[in-house]
Amino acid sequence: MTSDFYKRPLFLILLVYAFVLSLFLPVPSPEKGDASFLASASERNIVVKADSYPFVRKDKTVFVGEILSVNGEKTKGRAYIYCKDCPTIVKGETLSAKGVLGEVFSDNNYGSFNWKEYLARRHIFSQIDASEAQSLQRAPLFWRVISDIRADMLKVFGDSFDVNLSAILSGIAIGEKGDIDKGLYAAFQDSGAIHLLVASGGNVGFVTLMVYFLCSLFFAGRFLPAAAALSVALLYTLIAGADAPLIRAYIMTFAATIGLLLGRKSGVLQGFIIAALLILLFNPQSIFDVGFQMSFLATLAIVYFVCNFNFAARLPKTAAWAAELFFISLSAQMALVPIFTNGFHKISFAAVLSNIFLVPLSGLIMGGAFLLWFVSFLHSGFIFEAVRFPLKILLSIFSFLVEAFANTPLAGITAPAWKSGYVAAYYTALFAVFNFPLFKNKKRFLGLCAAICGACLLCGFFASDDVSAVLKGRYNFSLFVKEKNKIIVLGAGISPKTLKSAVLASGSKEIDCIFASGRYKSALYALTDIDGIEIKKIYLPQGELPSASAAILAASGAEVYPAVFGEKYCGVSAERAWYYGKGGEKYTPAKSDNLSFEYKGFDFAGNMKAYSREGIITAFN
């Protein structure tokens, strides 16, 4: 790789296009005639065409479908479909379903994952809860064959191992992790190995190399093995779902293979640019997809390292291989740090080491998965068991290592979000590190990068990060306010996960003051499981505490103070409890010893109502 790479027109077009999309592309909204406008609580007869592979979650089949008609009336739009009593569904199949058509529901809390926006960026504006469904028209032969192969592989895996091991095997082989145990899934996240349960670039590359090697044993030359390898890799890409990481990987593999046949070394980078540009041209909303971002950033970091740094010339062969594997893992993890902090509020430094062991092991497991499926056609119990038993040992070792790395002190560390200026500075510094060997005038290059970093850091430092947001729980609301690096929360009856996400999204790990409207356990629900967040002070109404509430307060580690009506604490005024009257926005005294609170024009009542007198925050009903 040379510095001339950055002068290529295609690269510059991709850079400008991605920048414009990230700044100006809005969240899509349903167009006129979309099925979401027909949402109703009553059950309908709905005709849909499945356009994704179905997967099973507990007792329901879940898939995405195109809505063709509702009660016989033609319509359009896509829906996320939950079906309780469905036949085996094939991608491309048309079905008649009975169910409730509704809009996608999401709490849309500050800092929390927005399910409604996530689906909207995929042009899905409806959801269907179907009680039953039946096939109207079979899928095209091509998709039936692809789906049958996928389903048969999953059946072989499921019949051969227990739930967790088969889920791991299915995830590694074709990206279908199934109903994996929540504890084990959390271990995959904390160990930094969650990406191994999603079919991605490594899978496509592995299939291509494996087929190329096998075909080269029987065919002379490079053309026929390469053609066979690319054909099988394309088939695998379709079987595994053909999402952005797989498409990117296949295009890059295709370009690299063609480059190899033509004797050119730039195929991988060209494939990277072409893949990113094609995906963003066909679906511009992919720029906001965390999976897309992680896939391309990690791949680009690995390509940078492999192309710009060489350990083989200075170290013994074994040491060079180990060092290269370590730095490849490190490069990928470094590229994803801001994604982890801002998207998941969690960093796993254990991932650098875990992937050194787990990535090669996953390659062996993937090869074993394909071999197990192939020998299942032989109907020989001896041969099948000869493959299944060692594969079970590999899966058990893999599971053990995942949990071992997840339990290290460097795994699953809670991390607050970074300001955009800090993110820009980080990636500028990372760009300088990865590209340092390319530029002849290194002082000028480093000076320019340092100047850009300094400007970004200044912008981040002086940028305001004040927040005023209503957090919605299942039964309660909380008012979340951050001003001048001070966080105040009025109401503690919401989910601890929701409150924790809001605190971390605001760039902090501390809450200065929490005001609880009551002394009972449900009024303190947000404090029951909020590890990683330091709470300094908690205020609640005077009176005798139930034992469950006392235990929650003791576990929080905060200083607890009684709040008295008419007094101020942390700038918050304690008021007598009130609620809305049925006639509209009217204060009505509550007959209880609870408290309501007022803070700089924001009013909060303990009976699930929060609003701002200035109209900054909308009243919730």
Side-chain angles (χ1 to χ4, degrees), residues 129-150:
D129 291 306
S131 57
E132 59 180 271
Q134 59 183 7
S135 178
L136 287 182
Q137 184 177 344
R138 298 179 70 189
L141 178 62
F142 176 79
W143 286 116
R144 292 206 304 272
V145 172
I146 296 292
S147 297
D148 286 345
I149 294 173
R150 178 185 174 91

mmCIF file with all atom_site columns, all heavy atoms in Angstrom, residues 129-150:
data_model
loop_
_atom_site.group_PDB
_atom_site.id
_atom_site.type_symbol
_atom_site.label_atom_id
_atom_site.label_alt_id
_atom_site.label_comp_id
_atom_site.label_asym_id
_atom_site.label_entity_id
_atom_site.label_seq_id
_atom_site.pdbx_PDB_ins_code
_atom_site.Cartn_x
_atom_site.Cartn_y
_atom_site.Cartn_z
_atom_site.occupancy
_atom_site.B_iso_or_equiv
_atom_site.pdbx_formal_charge
_atom_site.auth_seq_id
_atom_site.auth_comp_id
_atom_site.auth_asym_id
_atom_site.auth_atom_id
_atom_site.pdbx_PDB_model_num
ATOM 1   N N   . ASP A 1 129 ? -48.430 -9.317  14.894 1.00 0.00 ? 129 ASP A N   1
ATOM 2   C CA  . ASP A 1 129 ? -48.509 -10.426 15.842 1.00 0.00 ? 129 ASP A CA  1
ATOM 3   C C   . ASP A 1 129 ? -49.524 -11.416 15.282 1.00 0.00 ? 129 ASP A C   1
ATOM 4   O O   . ASP A 1 129 ? -50.738 -11.214 15.414 1.00 0.00 ? 129 ASP A O   1
ATOM 5   C CB  . ASP A 1 129 ? -48.929 -9.921  17.220 1.00 0.00 ? 129 ASP A CB  1
ATOM 6   C CG  . ASP A 1 129 ? -47.857 -9.077  17.864 1.00 0.00 ? 129 ASP A CG  1
ATOM 7   O OD1 . ASP A 1 129 ? -46.717 -9.560  17.967 1.00 0.00 ? 129 ASP A OD1 1
ATOM 8   O OD2 . ASP A 1 129 ? -48.151 -7.938  18.265 1.00 0.00 ? 129 ASP A OD2 1
ATOM 9   N N   . ALA A 1 130 ? -49.019 -12.449 14.624 1.00 0.00 ? 130 ALA A N   1
ATOM 10  C CA  . ALA A 1 130 ? -49.889 -13.400 13.935 1.00 0.00 ? 130 ALA A CA  1
ATOM 11  C C   . ALA A 1 130 ? -50.179 -14.601 14.827 1.00 0.00 ? 130 ALA A C   1
ATOM 12  O O   . ALA A 1 130 ? -49.269 -15.169 15.440 1.00 0.00 ? 130 ALA A O   1
ATOM 13  C CB  . ALA A 1 130 ? -49.246 -13.854 12.629 1.00 0.00 ? 130 ALA A CB  1
ATOM 14  N N   . SER A 1 131 ? -51.454 -14.984 14.880 1.00 0.00 ? 131 SER A N   1
ATOM 15  C CA  . SER A 1 131 ? -51.847 -16.152 15.662 1.00 0.00 ? 131 SER A CA  1
ATOM 16  C C   . SER A 1 131 ? -51.720 -17.429 14.842 1.00 0.00 ? 131 SER A C   1
ATOM 17  O O   . SER A 1 131 ? -51.555 -18.517 15.393 1.00 0.00 ? 131 SER A O   1
ATOM 18  C CB  . SER A 1 131 ? -53.288 -15.986 16.161 1.00 0.00 ? 131 SER A CB  1
ATOM 19  O OG  . SER A 1 131 ? -54.160 -15.771 15.065 1.00 0.00 ? 131 SER A OG  1
ATOM 20  N N   . GLU A 1 132 ? -51.792 -17.298 13.518 1.00 0.00 ? 132 GLU A N   1
ATOM 21  C CA  . GLU A 1 132 ? -51.643 -18.467 12.648 1.00 0.00 ? 132 GLU A CA  1
ATOM 22  C C   . GLU A 1 132 ? -51.312 -17.992 11.235 1.00 0.00 ? 132 GLU A C   1
ATOM 23  O O   . GLU A 1 132 ? -51.475 -16.822 10.893 1.00 0.00 ? 132 GLU A O   1
ATOM 24  C CB  . GLU A 1 132 ? -52.927 -19.296 12.626 1.00 0.00 ? 132 GLU A CB  1
ATOM 25  C CG  . GLU A 1 132 ? -54.146 -18.518 12.133 1.00 0.00 ? 132 GLU A CG  1
ATOM 26  C CD  . GLU A 1 132 ? -55.395 -19.372 12.113 1.00 0.00 ? 132 GLU A CD  1
ATOM 27  O OE1 . GLU A 1 132 ? -55.635 -20.026 11.073 1.00 0.00 ? 132 GLU A OE1 1
ATOM 28  O OE2 . GLU A 1 132 ? -56.107 -19.408 13.138 1.00 0.00 ? 132 GLU A OE2 1
ATOM 29  N N   . ALA A 1 133 ? -50.797 -18.896 10.432 1.00 0.00 ? 133 ALA A N   1
ATOM 30  C CA  . ALA A 1 133 ? -50.457 -18.567 9.044  1.00 0.00 ? 133 ALA A CA  1
ATOM 31  C C   . ALA A 1 133 ? -50.463 -19.835 8.215  1.00 0.00 ? 133 ALA A C   1
ATOM 32  O O   . ALA A 1 133 ? -50.256 -20.939 8.729  1.00 0.00 ? 133 ALA A O   1
ATOM 33  C CB  . ALA A 1 133 ? -49.099 -17.892 8.974  1.00 0.00 ? 133 ALA A CB  1
ATOM 34  N N   . GLN A 1 134 ? -50.703 -19.661 6.925  1.00 0.00 ? 134 GLN A N   1
ATOM 35  C CA  . GLN A 1 134 ? -50.650 -20.794 5.998  1.00 0.00 ? 134 GLN A CA  1
ATOM 36  C C   . GLN A 1 134 ? -50.070 -20.326 4.662  1.00 0.00 ? 134 GLN A C   1
ATOM 37  O O   . GLN A 1 134 ? -50.188 -19.162 4.297  1.00 0.00 ? 134 GLN A O   1
ATOM 38  C CB  . GLN A 1 134 ? -52.032 -21.409 5.791  1.00 0.00 ? 134 GLN A CB  1
ATOM 39  C CG  . GLN A 1 134 ? -53.074 -20.451 5.244  1.00 0.00 ? 134 GLN A CG  1
ATOM 40  C CD  . GLN A 1 134 ? -54.447 -21.096 5.137  1.00 0.00 ? 134 GLN A CD  1
ATOM 41  O OE1 . GLN A 1 134 ? -54.657 -22.217 5.595  1.00 0.00 ? 134 GLN A OE1 1
ATOM 42  N NE2 . GLN A 1 134 ? -55.378 -20.394 4.516  1.00 0.00 ? 134 GLN A NE2 1
ATOM 43  N N   . SER A 1 135 ? -49.448 -21.255 3.967  1.00 0.00 ? 135 SER A N   1
ATOM 44  C CA  . SER A 1 135 ? -48.780 -20.919 2.712  1.00 0.00 ? 135 SER A CA  1
ATOM 45  C C   . SER A 1 135 ? -49.793 -20.712 1.588  1.00 0.00 ? 135 SER A C   1
ATOM 46  O O   . SER A 1 135 ? -50.744 -21.483 1.441  1.00 0.00 ? 135 SER A O   1
ATOM 47  C CB  . SER A 1 135 ? -47.797 -22.027 2.341  1.00 0.00 ? 135 SER A CB  1
ATOM 48  O OG  . SER A 1 135 ? -47.170 -21.733 1.107  1.00 0.00 ? 135 SER A OG  1
ATOM 49  N N   . LEU A 1 136 ? -49.578 -19.645 0.817  1.00 0.00 ? 136 LEU A N   1
ATOM 50  C CA  . LEU A 1 136 ? -50.404 -19.376 -0.362 1.00 0.00 ? 136 LEU A CA  1
ATOM 51  C C   . LEU A 1 136 ? -49.668 -19.695 -1.639 1.00 0.00 ? 136 LEU A C   1
ATOM 52  O O   . LEU A 1 136 ? -50.244 -20.188 -2.613 1.00 0.00 ? 136 LEU A O   1
ATOM 53  C CB  . LEU A 1 136 ? -50.831 -17.893 -0.383 1.00 0.00 ? 136 LEU A CB  1
ATOM 54  C CG  . LEU A 1 136 ? -51.892 -17.435 0.610  1.00 0.00 ? 136 LEU A CG  1
ATOM 55  C CD1 . LEU A 1 136 ? -52.193 -15.950 0.393  1.00 0.00 ? 136 LEU A CD1 1
ATOM 56  C CD2 . LEU A 1 136 ? -53.173 -18.242 0.468  1.00 0.00 ? 136 LEU A CD2 1
ATOM 57  N N   . GLN A 1 137 ? -48.375 -19.385 -1.657 1.00 0.00 ? 137 GLN A N   1
ATOM 58  C CA  . GLN A 1 137 ? -47.569 -19.615 -2.864 1.00 0.00 ? 137 GLN A CA  1
ATOM 59  C C   . GLN A 1 137 ? -46.144 -19.966 -2.453 1.00 0.00 ? 137 GLN A C   1
ATOM 60  O O   . GLN A 1 137 ? -45.540 -19.289 -1.634 1.00 0.00 ? 137 GLN A O   1
ATOM 61  C CB  . GLN A 1 137 ? -47.560 -18.357 -3.750 1.00 0.00 ? 137 GLN A CB  1
ATOM 62  C CG  . GLN A 1 137 ? -46.823 -18.539 -5.061 1.00 0.00 ? 137 GLN A CG  1
ATOM 63  C CD  . GLN A 1 137 ? -46.904 -17.289 -5.940 1.00 0.00 ? 137 GLN A CD  1
ATOM 64  O OE1 . GLN A 1 137 ? -47.748 -16.419 -5.701 1.00 0.00 ? 137 GLN A OE1 1
ATOM 65  N NE2 . GLN A 1 137 ? -46.053 -17.206 -6.924 1.00 0.00 ? 137 GLN A NE2 1
ATOM 66  N N   . ARG A 1 138 ? -45.640 -21.042 -3.014 1.00 0.00 ? 138 ARG A N   1
ATOM 67  C CA  . ARG A 1 138 ? -44.307 -21.496 -2.664 1.00 0.00 ? 138 ARG A CA  1
ATOM 68  C C   . ARG A 1 138 ? -43.255 -20.491 -3.143 1.00 0.00 ? 138 ARG A C   1
ATOM 69  O O   . ARG A 1 138 ? -43.467 -19.733 -4.096 1.00 0.00 ? 138 ARG A O   1
ATOM 70  C CB  . ARG A 1 138 ? -44.015 -22.866 -3.291 1.00 0.00 ? 138 ARG A CB  1
ATOM 71  C CG  . ARG A 1 138 ? -44.936 -23.963 -2.809 1.00 0.00 ? 138 ARG A CG  1
ATOM 72  C CD  . ARG A 1 138 ? -44.597 -25.273 -3.488 1.00 0.00 ? 138 ARG A CD  1
ATOM 73  N NE  . ARG A 1 138 ? -43.321 -25.807 -3.020 1.00 0.00 ? 138 ARG A NE  1
ATOM 74  C CZ  . ARG A 1 138 ? -42.710 -26.852 -3.576 1.00 0.00 ? 138 ARG A CZ  1
ATOM 75  N NH1 . ARG A 1 138 ? -43.245 -27.456 -4.622 1.00 0.00 ? 138 ARG A NH1 1
ATOM 76  N NH2 . ARG A 1 138 ? -41.566 -27.282 -3.086 1.00 0.00 ? 138 ARG A NH2 1
ATOM 77  N N   . ALA A 1 139 ? -42.117 -20.508 -2.471 1.00 0.00 ? 139 ALA A N   1
ATOM 78  C CA  . ALA A 1 139 ? -41.003 -19.643 -2.857 1.00 0.00 ? 139 ALA A CA  1
ATOM 79  C C   . ALA A 1 139 ? -40.407 -20.143 -4.167 1.00 0.00 ? 139 ALA A C   1
ATOM 80  O O   . ALA A 1 139 ? -40.568 -21.314 -4.536 1.00 0.00 ? 139 ALA A O   1
ATOM 81  C CB  . ALA A 1 139 ? -39.941 -19.648 -1.763 1.00 0.00 ? 139 ALA A CB  1
ATOM 82  N N   . PRO A 1 140 ? -39.705 -19.281 -4.909 1.00 0.00 ? 140 PRO A N   1
ATOM 83  C CA  . PRO A 1 140 ? -39.008 -19.723 -6.123 1.00 0.00 ? 140 PRO A CA  1
ATOM 84  C C   . PRO A 1 140 ? -38.058 -20.878 -5.800 1.00 0.00 ? 140 PRO A C   1
ATOM 85  O O   . PRO A 1 140 ? -37.557 -20.994 -4.677 1.00 0.00 ? 140 PRO A O   1
ATOM 86  C CB  . PRO A 1 140 ? -38.241 -18.476 -6.573 1.00 0.00 ? 140 PRO A CB  1
ATOM 87  C CG  . PRO A 1 140 ? -39.016 -17.337 -6.000 1.00 0.00 ? 140 PRO A CG  1
ATOM 88  C CD  . PRO A 1 140 ? -39.560 -17.839 -4.696 1.00 0.00 ? 140 PRO A CD  1
ATOM 89  N N   . LEU A 1 141 ? -37.805 -21.732 -6.799 1.00 0.00 ? 141 LEU A N   1
ATOM 90  C CA  . LEU A 1 141 ? -36.983 -22.923 -6.598 1.00 0.00 ? 141 LEU A CA  1
ATOM 91  C C   . LEU A 1 141 ? -35.615 -22.581 -6.020 1.00 0.00 ? 141 LEU A C   1
ATOM 92  O O   . LEU A 1 141 ? -35.110 -23.291 -5.141 1.00 0.00 ? 141 LEU A O   1
ATOM 93  C CB  . LEU A 1 141 ? -36.815 -23.656 -7.939 1.00 0.00 ? 141 LEU A CB  1
ATOM 94  C CG  . LEU A 1 141 ? -35.925 -24.909 -7.905 1.00 0.00 ? 141 LEU A CG  1
ATOM 95  C CD1 . LEU A 1 141 ? -36.515 -25.958 -6.973 1.00 0.00 ? 141 LEU A CD1 1
ATOM 96  C CD2 . LEU A 1 141 ? -35.748 -25.466 -9.324 1.00 0.00 ? 141 LEU A CD2 1
ATOM 97  N N   . PHE A 1 142 ? -35.004 -21.500 -6.490 1.00 0.00 ? 142 PHE A N   1
ATOM 98  C CA  . PHE A 1 142 ? -33.665 -21.119 -6.018 1.00 0.00 ? 142 PHE A CA  1
ATOM 99  C C   . PHE A 1 142 ? -33.658 -20.929 -4.510 1.00 0.00 ? 142 PHE A C   1
ATOM 100 O O   . PHE A 1 142 ? -32.809 -21.478 -3.801 1.00 0.00 ? 142 PHE A O   1
ATOM 101 C CB  . PHE A 1 142 ? -33.215 -19.838 -6.718 1.00 0.00 ? 142 PHE A CB  1
ATOM 102 C CG  . PHE A 1 142 ? -31.897 -19.316 -6.216 1.00 0.00 ? 142 PHE A CG  1
ATOM 103 C CD1 . PHE A 1 142 ? -30.709 -19.877 -6.636 1.00 0.00 ? 142 PHE A CD1 1
ATOM 104 C CD2 . PHE A 1 142 ? -31.851 -18.265 -5.303 1.00 0.00 ? 142 PHE A CD2 1
ATOM 105 C CE1 . PHE A 1 142 ? -29.497 -19.399 -6.173 1.00 0.00 ? 142 PHE A CE1 1
ATOM 106 C CE2 . PHE A 1 142 ? -30.648 -17.788 -4.830 1.00 0.00 ? 142 PHE A CE2 1
ATOM 107 C CZ  . PHE A 1 142 ? -29.466 -18.360 -5.267 1.00 0.00 ? 142 PHE A CZ  1
ATOM 108 N N   . TRP A 1 143 ? -34.632 -20.150 -3.989 1.00 0.00 ? 143 TRP A N   1
ATOM 109 C CA  . TRP A 1 143 ? -34.667 -19.886 -2.552 1.00 0.00 ? 143 TRP A CA  1
ATOM 110 C C   . TRP A 1 143 ? -35.102 -21.114 -1.756 1.00 0.00 ? 143 TRP A C   1
ATOM 111 O O   . TRP A 1 143 ? -34.713 -21.285 -0.596 1.00 0.00 ? 143 TRP A O   1
ATOM 112 C CB  . TRP A 1 143 ? -35.582 -18.703 -2.247 1.00 0.00 ? 143 TRP A CB  1
ATOM 113 C CG  . TRP A 1 143 ? -34.980 -17.397 -2.625 1.00 0.00 ? 143 TRP A CG  1
ATOM 114 C CD1 . TRP A 1 143 ? -35.425 -16.526 -3.562 1.00 0.00 ? 143 TRP A CD1 1
ATOM 115 C CD2 . TRP A 1 143 ? -33.789 -16.814 -2.070 1.00 0.00 ? 143 TRP A CD2 1
ATOM 116 N NE1 . TRP A 1 143 ? -34.586 -15.431 -3.637 1.00 0.00 ? 143 TRP A NE1 1
ATOM 117 C CE2 . TRP A 1 143 ? -33.575 -15.587 -2.730 1.00 0.00 ? 143 TRP A CE2 1
ATOM 118 C CE3 . TRP A 1 143 ? -32.889 -17.224 -1.094 1.00 0.00 ? 143 TRP A CE3 1
ATOM 119 C CZ2 . TRP A 1 143 ? -32.508 -14.758 -2.430 1.00 0.00 ? 143 TRP A CZ2 1
ATOM 120 C CZ3 . TRP A 1 143 ? -31.809 -16.399 -0.794 1.00 0.00 ? 143 TRP A CZ3 1
ATOM 121 C CH2 . TRP A 1 143 ? -31.618 -15.189 -1.452 1.00 0.00 ? 143 TRP A CH2 1
ATOM 122 N N   . ARG A 1 144 ? -35.881 -21.998 -2.366 1.00 0.00 ? 144 ARG A N   1
ATOM 123 C CA  . ARG A 1 144 ? -36.245 -23.236 -1.678 1.00 0.00 ? 144 ARG A CA  1
ATOM 124 C C   . ARG A 1 144 ? -35.008 -24.104 -1.454 1.00 0.00 ? 144 ARG A C   1
ATOM 125 O O   . ARG A 1 144 ? -34.838 -24.683 -0.386 1.00 0.00 ? 144 ARG A O   1
ATOM 126 C CB  . ARG A 1 144 ? -37.300 -24.007 -2.482 1.00 0.00 ? 144 ARG A CB  1
ATOM 127 C CG  . ARG A 1 144 ? -38.659 -23.332 -2.546 1.00 0.00 ? 144 ARG A CG  1
ATOM 128 C CD  . ARG A 1 144 ? -39.786 -24.337 -2.754 1.00 0.00 ? 144 ARG A CD  1
ATOM 129 N NE  . ARG A 1 144 ? -39.610 -25.168 -3.933 1.00 0.00 ? 144 ARG A NE  1
ATOM 130 C CZ  . ARG A 1 144 ? -40.027 -24.864 -5.153 1.00 0.00 ? 144 ARG A CZ  1
ATOM 131 N NH1 . ARG A 1 144 ? -40.649 -23.696 -5.372 1.00 0.00 ? 144 ARG A NH1 1
ATOM 132 N NH2 . ARG A 1 144 ? -39.845 -25.685 -6.161 1.00 0.00 ? 144 ARG A NH2 1
ATOM 133 N N   . VAL A 1 145 ? -34.166 -24.179 -2.466 1.00 0.00 ? 145 VAL A N   1
ATOM 134 C CA  . VAL A 1 145 ? -32.946 -24.980 -2.349 1.00 0.00 ? 145 VAL A CA  1
ATOM 135 C C   . VAL A 1 145 ? -32.020 -24.378 -1.288 1.00 0.00 ? 145 VAL A C   1
ATOM 136 O O   . VAL A 1 145 ? -31.504 -25.086 -0.410 1.00 0.00 ? 145 VAL A O   1
ATOM 137 C CB  . VAL A 1 145 ? -32.221 -25.074 -3.706 1.00 0.00 ? 145 VAL A CB  1
ATOM 138 C CG1 . VAL A 1 145 ? -30.853 -25.745 -3.532 1.00 0.00 ? 145 VAL A CG1 1
ATOM 139 C CG2 . VAL A 1 145 ? -33.063 -25.844 -4.711 1.00 0.00 ? 145 VAL A CG2 1
ATOM 140 N N   . ILE A 1 146 ? -31.809 -23.054 -1.364 1.00 0.00 ? 146 ILE A N   1
ATOM 141 C CA  . ILE A 1 146 ? -30.935 -22.375 -0.399 1.00 0.00 ? 146 ILE A CA  1
ATOM 142 C C   . ILE A 1 146 ? -31.475 -22.552 1.022  1.00 0.00 ? 146 ILE A C   1
ATOM 143 O O   . ILE A 1 146 ? -30.731 -22.873 1.960  1.00 0.00 ? 146 ILE A O   1
ATOM 144 C CB  . ILE A 1 146 ? -30.824 -20.874 -0.739 1.00 0.00 ? 146 ILE A CB  1
ATOM 145 C CG1 . ILE A 1 146 ? -30.147 -20.667 -2.096 1.00 0.00 ? 146 ILE A CG1 1
ATOM 146 C CG2 . ILE A 1 146 ? -30.067 -20.123 0.353  1.00 0.00 ? 146 ILE A CG2 1
ATOM 147 C CD1 . ILE A 1 146 ? -28.699 -21.048 -2.131 1.00 0.00 ? 146 ILE A CD1 1
ATOM 148 N N   . SER A 1 147 ? -32.776 -22.354 1.197  1.00 0.00 ? 147 SER A N   1
ATOM 149 C CA  . SER A 1 147 ? -33.389 -22.465 2.520  1.00 0.00 ? 147 SER A CA  1
ATOM 150 C C   . SER A 1 147 ? -33.335 -23.892 3.046  1.00 0.00 ? 147 SER A C   1
ATOM 151 O O   . SER A 1 147 ? -33.142 -24.114 4.251  1.00 0.00 ? 147 SER A O   1
ATOM 152 C CB  . SER A 1 147 ? -34.836 -21.970 2.482  1.00 0.00 ? 147 SER A CB  1
ATOM 153 O OG  . SER A 1 147 ? -34.895 -20.602 2.138  1.00 0.00 ? 147 SER A OG  1
ATOM 154 N N   . ASP A 1 148 ? -33.514 -24.873 2.142  1.00 0.00 ? 148 ASP A N   1
ATOM 155 C CA  . ASP A 1 148 ? -33.459 -26.273 2.566  1.00 0.00 ? 148 ASP A CA  1
ATOM 156 C C   . ASP A 1 148 ? -32.066 -26.640 3.056  1.00 0.00 ? 148 ASP A C   1
ATOM 157 O O   . ASP A 1 148 ? -31.913 -27.387 4.039  1.00 0.00 ? 148 ASP A O   1
ATOM 158 C CB  . ASP A 1 148 ? -33.867 -27.194 1.412  1.00 0.00 ? 148 ASP A CB  1
ATOM 159 C CG  . ASP A 1 148 ? -35.365 -27.167 1.153  1.00 0.00 ? 148 ASP A CG  1
ATOM 160 O OD1 . ASP A 1 148 ? -36.105 -26.666 2.027  1.00 0.00 ? 148 ASP A OD1 1
ATOM 161 O OD2 . ASP A 1 148 ? -35.793 -27.639 0.084  1.00 0.00 ? 148 ASP A OD2 1
ATOM 162 N N   . ILE A 1 149 ? -31.041 -26.136 2.379  1.00 0.00 ? 149 ILE A N   1
ATOM 163 C CA  . ILE A 1 149 ? -29.658 -26.398 2.811  1.00 0.00 ? 149 ILE A CA  1
ATOM 164 C C   . ILE A 1 149 ? -29.427 -25.799 4.199  1.00 0.00 ? 149 ILE A C   1
ATOM 165 O O   . ILE A 1 149 ? -28.887 -26.458 5.091  1.00 0.00 ? 149 ILE A O   1
ATOM 166 C CB  . ILE A 1 149 ? -28.650 -25.824 1.803  1.00 0.00 ? 149 ILE A CB  1
ATOM 167 C CG1 . ILE A 1 149 ? -28.737 -26.558 0.467  1.00 0.00 ? 149 ILE A CG1 1
ATOM 168 C CG2 . ILE A 1 149 ? -27.224 -25.910 2.349  1.00 0.00 ? 149 ILE A CG2 1
ATOM 169 C CD1 . ILE A 1 149 ? -27.890 -25.956 -0.633 1.00 0.00 ? 149 ILE A CD1 1
ATOM 170 N N   . ARG A 1 150 ? -29.842 -24.554 4.368  1.00 0.00 ? 150 ARG A N   1
ATOM 171 C CA  . ARG A 1 150 ? -29.671 -23.878 5.653  1.00 0.00 ? 150 ARG A CA  1
ATOM 172 C C   . ARG A 1 150 ? -30.423 -24.619 6.763  1.00 0.00 ? 150 ARG A C   1
ATOM 173 O O   . ARG A 1 150 ? -29.873 -24.881 7.845  1.00 0.00 ? 150 ARG A O   1
ATOM 174 C CB  . ARG A 1 150 ? -30.172 -22.441 5.540  1.00 0.00 ? 150 ARG A CB  1
ATOM 175 C CG  . ARG A 1 150 ? -30.084 -21.634 6.837  1.00 0.00 ? 150 ARG A CG  1
ATOM 176 C CD  . ARG A 1 150 ? -30.729 -20.265 6.639  1.00 0.00 ? 150 ARG A CD  1
ATOM 177 N NE  . ARG A 1 150 ? -30.788 -19.534 7.891  1.00 0.00 ? 150 ARG A NE  1
ATOM 178 C CZ  . ARG A 1 150 ? -29.856 -18.706 8.322  1.00 0.00 ? 150 ARG A CZ  1
ATOM 179 N NH1 . ARG A 1 150 ? -28.772 -18.503 7.592  1.00 0.00 ? 150 ARG A NH1 1
ATOM 180 N NH2 . ARG A 1 150 ? -29.991 -18.074 9.465  1.00 0.00 ? 150 ARG A NH2 1
#
